[in-house]
Amino acid sequence: MAAKRAITRQSLPDAIASDLRERILSGDLAEGETIRQEALAEDYDVSRMPVREALKQLDAEGLVQLTNNRGARVTRHSLSEIGEIFDLRSLLETDLFRRAIPQMTQSDFARCEHLLEQMEASYDANDVSRWGALNYQYHSALYAAANRSLTNELLHRVSLQSDRYIRMHLSVMQQREPARKEHRELLRLARDGQVEQACALLSAHIGRTKDQLLALVAAKRASEEAVGR
């Protein structure tokens, strides 16, 4: 944390939280890593008060766990919890998709198509961070016609937890091409009104990511433990 980090000054806690969130999701701050208020205040060249407020935001989102009111630790999920995150995504997203498809309009399809084009550009540019944000926007656009605000709020929180694992999946396991094809197929099935087929593909899409990620994280942690012995 040697270099100062430039942030937008209009809302210090929000700006710091946004930057820290991206650092966690990108893996720059690793799971289990300790984050100290004093170091962050120096890092961002601010007082500790906006840092404390930013950490409270991230604690509420489940990305960090506050420790002794002096700092925080990046949340480290167990393998069981990671599995549960993706199980929840599957439950929430398939329910939203099933409700949304009969209500989708040409405007909804056009927005999904536009986001797909942006996602494919991020694939080609190897921009995993941008892909992560666009992935969330695309899935949200698929479900928007369901008009289920409470379910979407729950999904947003769950998606924050899954985003860093999805980015790990893409960057380490090079799973861009299957994801690209499945995202296009989801939109095609929605356009054709094939509700059950679309929901089955979505469930399989999330399930495949879950299974591969659990294997990846288990191997990564086993390797880290072996090095630490």
Side-chain angles (χ1 to χ4, degrees):
M1 292 188 177
K4 305 297 184 186
R5 299 179 70 89
I7 58 173
T8 306
R9 295 280 175 167
Q10 73 276 13
S11 172
L12 282 174
D14 287 347
I16 294 169
S18 179
D19 191 61
L20 284 172
R21 185 183 299 111
E22 179 57 31
R23 292 169 71 182
I24 292 168
L25 296 179
S26 69
D28 179 44
L29 293 172
E31 58 179 11
E33 184 171 341
T34 298
I35 307 173
R36 302 197 179 281
Q37 287 186 26
E38 296 88 345
L40 286 179
E42 182 178 350
D43 191 24
Y44 291 109
D45 196 22
V46 297
S47 70
R48 279 187 283 177
M49 185 174 295
V51 170
R52 188 179 305 117
E53 291 305 310
L55 290 176
K56 286 181 180 177
Q57 287 186 39
L58 297 177
D59 179 68
E61 293 172 5
L63 292 176
V64 305
Q65 296 172 317
L66 289 174
T67 57
N68 301 324
N69 205 35
R70 292 181 61 81
R73 188 180 301 275
V74 179
T75 301
R76 176 186 169 96
H77 291 110
S78 68
L79 293 178
S80 175
E81 288 170 337
I82 294 171
E84 184 178 357
I85 287 167
F86 283 87
D87 288 343
L88 285 170
R89 273 196 58 195
S90 185
L91 286 169
L92 294 172
E93 293 188 41
T94 53
D95 179 70
L96 285 170
F97 204 23
R98 180 173 283 107
R99 295 173 185 275
I101 291 173
Q103 308 301 324
M104 292 178 79
T105 65
Q106 289 305 314
S107 176
D108 293 315
F109 295 136
R111 171 158 174 73
C112 290
E113 183 66 41
H114 177 65
L115 288 167
L116 269 182
E117 291 172 359
Q118 291 183 289
M119 289 173 73
E120 289 172 355
S122 73
Y123 296 147
D124 297 337
N126 198 32
D127 189 344
V128 174
S129 176
R130 176 142 177 78
W131 187 95
L134 289 167
N135 179 64
Y136 176 75
Q137 291 174 39
Y138 174 69
H139 279 266
S140 296
L142 284 176
Y143 318 142
N147 196 28
R148 305 277 284 186
S149 59
L150 294 178
T151 307
N152 278 316
E153 286 177 18
L154 291 173
L155 179 58
H156 177 67
R157 180 178 173 87
V158 173
S159 295
L160 272 176
Q161 306 303 313
S162 70
D163 190 10
R164 58 178 160 159
Y165 299 111
I166 291 172
R167 294 192 196 188
M168 182 191 303
H169 184 238
L170 284 171
S171 60
V172 176
M173 301 185 75
Q174 300 295 311
Q175 292 295 315
R176 293 171 178 81
E177 197 56 37
R180 184 202 301 249
K181 290 178 179 177
E182 288 175 357
H183 283 141
R184 281 232 160 256
E185 183 65 4
L186 286 170
L187 182 56
R188 185 192 70 78
L189 290 169
R191 273 199 174 109
D192 291 347
Q194 298 184 52
V195 176
E196 294 308 317
Q197 296 92 325
C199 290
L201 177 59
L202 177 60
S203 179
H205 174 73
I206 296 171
R208 176 180 58 81
T209 301
K210 168 192 164 183
D211 292 342
Q212 293 179 345
L213 261 172
L214 288 175
L216 171 65
V217 174
K220 181 174 181 289
R221 290 181 180 177
S223 176
E224 290 170 350
E225 290 172 8
V227 171
R229 287 176 189 152

